[in-house]
Amino acid sequence: MSPLPERFAFVTGANGISGYSIVEHLLRQPKEEWSKIVVSSRRPPPTPWIDPRVEFVAIDFLDPVAKITAQLEDICAPVTHAFFTSYIHHDDFKVLRDKNVPLFRNFLDAVDTVCPKLERVSLQTGGKYYGVHLGPVRIPLEESFPRYDDQGFNFYYNQEDYLREVQERRNAWSYNIIRPNAINGYAPHANGMSEALTIAIYMLICRELGQPATFPGNEYFWNSIDDNSYAPSLADLTVFASTHDHCKDEAFNHVNGDIFVWKYLWQDVAAYFGLEAPEPEFKKPKDKRDIWARVVQKYGGRLDAFDWGTWGFFNWATGKSWITISSINKARKYGWTRNDNTFETWIETYRSFDNAGVLPSHRALASK
């Protein structure tokens, strides 16, 4: 048998949901497939990976490109596959553009300079590409949909255009663009959008208060359907696309492969935490930081996890009057076959946060 081609990965945003999951996915592959994995973020992960293939480098991609290339030129010289998942969150879309456009441009300019063996660049964008943050859109979302008039604010357009511009100019590597929807999974640090974790904190506060887990969103969303992207599954598609020649220079949506009704998912998650979830009266939640402190004191978990909850994003997400469903037909046609049950992925996410000590253990909750 001929030997496998040597692959050397560079993963940015290692403290985020997507970046962390890509690293975990790569580490589950034999060293014959991935001989080295360089990971970066602005600060080291709280728990380092012990696999000898991993090497961490602290990088801020808002620094000048010359500084970034100096930091990467030795460690990343053998890189064949670069995975960009870095993201700076802000509720103001104009600020998102101003931060995230240079973030990606600096990354791309750096790896294009210091990685002579580069074969594939993977850029993660998301549902905002289709305008799902602005109002109703045609569903299911398909990769072939034309862009909307973004008035210059959709930073995904700028990122994708620059990716293609550099790739066409260099003609030395190919790319993939992966567009998930509502990512859920474990991350070792707080991040801008964490739906499942926010709901867990909310429900545990309700439990401590002796109250039912009343849905904080609106009636439309309570009865609507939705889909999710589970971070390990997203990592699976990302690596699959980046390592198959027939997938090069293509964009792919990602979701779990099922849909759910918020009403029933909410009630199932509430049952997992030992709560009832009656038909809601649709009242807005209030700040309950002091109640979360009581939960942690009784059952364990991290006090600062309350700040990991993305309350503004969650209030917006559950207060919409439209739904967004993504098609993954294209990924299926290209040979990616994974399918996940969304409720099960939420429970797996909670178990991960349990194991990391961020949430109280389910065993402790069930025993009291």
Side-chain angles (χ1 to χ4, degrees):
M1 295 179 64
S2 59
L4 292 171
E6 186 174 37
R7 293 172 178 156
F8 192 120
F10 176 40
V11 184
T12 78
N15 277 319
I17 297 178
S18 299
Y20 184 87
S21 290
I22 289 174
V23 176
E24 288 285 299
H25 182 85
L26 294 173
L27 290 176
R28 291 186 177 94
Q29 315 309 311
K31 64 181 180 180
E32 290 79 14
E33 291 192 28
W34 296 95
S35 60
K36 189 70 178 289
I37 304 162
V38 173
V39 300
S40 78
S41 61
R42 285 178 292 178
R43 53 183 172 172
T47 303
W49 285 282
I50 61 173
D51 191 297
R53 291 176 291 173
V54 175
E55 187 169 356
F56 174 80
V57 56
I59 297 289
D60 185 344
F61 287 109
L62 291 181
D63 284 341
V65 175
K67 179 180 179 180
I68 298 169
T69 54
Q71 292 174 285
L72 296 180
E73 60 184 351
D74 290 331
I75 192 173
C76 285
V79 164
T80 58
H81 293 71
F83 301 92
F84 181 84
T85 69
S86 300
Y87 172 73
I88 297 175
H89 184 70
H90 198 281
D91 290 336
D92 186 336
F93 209 66
K94 297 178 183 178
V95 177
L96 278 176
R97 176 199 60 187
D98 294 343
K99 294 291 187 181
N100 287 283
V101 167
L103 194 76
F104 177 68
R105 282 177 169 248
N106 292 350
F107 154 82
L108 190 59
D109 288 343
V111 297
D112 186 53
T113 300
V114 305
C115 304
K117 297 182 178 180
L118 190 63
E119 298 175 12
R120 192 74 61 93
V121 174
S122 180
L123 165 65
Q124 180 177 297
T125 60
K128 291 186 180 71
Y129 176 90
Y130 302 106
V132 300
H133 56 298
L134 300 175
V137 292
R138 177 180 175 179
I139 56 173
L141 304 171
E142 296 182 358
E143 296 87 346
S144 61
F145 282 7
R147 294 178 176 180
Y148 69 91
D149 181 7
D150 72 321
Q151 299 180 342
F153 294 132
N154 193 324
F155 68 91
Y156 288 155
Y157 294 172
N158 190 294
Q159 288 181 333
E160 293 192 9
D161 288 346
Y162 194 64
L163 175 66
R164 293 186 176 101
E165 176 187 329
V166 176
Q167 189 266 344
E168 290 173 3
R169 183 174 70 239
R170 291 281 288 115
N171 196 30
W173 43 264
S174 53
Y175 67 83
N176 286 113
I177 298 163
I178 310 297
R179 300 174 185 152
N181 184 35
I183 308 168
N184 281 300
Y186 173 76
H189 276 295
N191 61 89
M193 294 176 286
S194 185
E195 201 169 52
L197 177 61
T198 305
I199 289 173
I201 295 170
Y202 173 82
M203 287 191 173
L204 289 172
I205 288 172
C206 290
R207 173 185 166 126
E208 180 63 20
L209 291 171
Q211 298 176 353
T214 303
F215 185 69
N218 63 33
E219 186 173 4
Y220 174 89
F221 212 73
W222 172 250
N223 291 299
S224 71
I225 60 173
D226 206 347
D227 57 15
N228 267 186
S229 288
Y230 184 38
S233 174
L234 174 58
D236 188 65
L237 173 61
T238 301
V239 174
F240 172 89
S242 72
T243 54
H244 285 80
D245 286 341
H246 73 284
C247 295
K248 68 180 182 180
D249 302 334
E250 295 287 349
F252 295 98
N253 289 338
H254 177 275
V255 284
N256 293 339
D258 67 351
I259 58 173
F260 61 89
V261 178
W262 268 102
K263 174 179 180 177
Y264 303 119
L265 179 68
W266 186 270
Q267 291 172 336
D268 288 344
V269 172
Y272 174 78
F273 287 113
L275 287 159
E276 292 186 357
E279 289 288 332
E281 298 178 4
F282 303 107
K283 296 179 180 178
K284 292 184 178 180
K286 298 179 181 180
D287 186 358
K288 299 294 184 183
R289 185 184 298 272
D290 58 330
I291 310 301
W292 176 249
R294 280 165 39 187
V295 172
V296 171
Q297 185 177 22
K298 286 185 178 181
Y299 307 108
R302 288 182 55 157
L303 194 62
D304 63 345
F306 187 88
D307 295 313
W308 293 29
T310 51
W311 305 102
F313 167 73
F314 180 64
N315 286 338
W316 169 82
T318 59
K320 294 184 301 182
S321 58
W322 64 91
I323 60 174
T324 56
I325 301 295
S326 292
S327 168
I328 52 170
N329 285 339
K330 182 176 179 180
R332 296 287 189 243
K333 289 178 180 177
Y334 277 73
W336 185 70
T337 59
R338 175 165 174 161
N339 193 78
D340 288 87
N341 177 289
T342 294
F343 173 69
E344 291 177 358
T345 69
W346 280 44
I347 301 307
E348 290 177 9
T349 297
Y350 294 144
R351 295 291 193 186
S352 298
F353 279 113
D354 290 356
N355 291 338
V358 177
L359 291 177
S361 76
H362 192 253
R363 185 178 299 277
L365 292 169
S367 65
K368 297 181 181 180

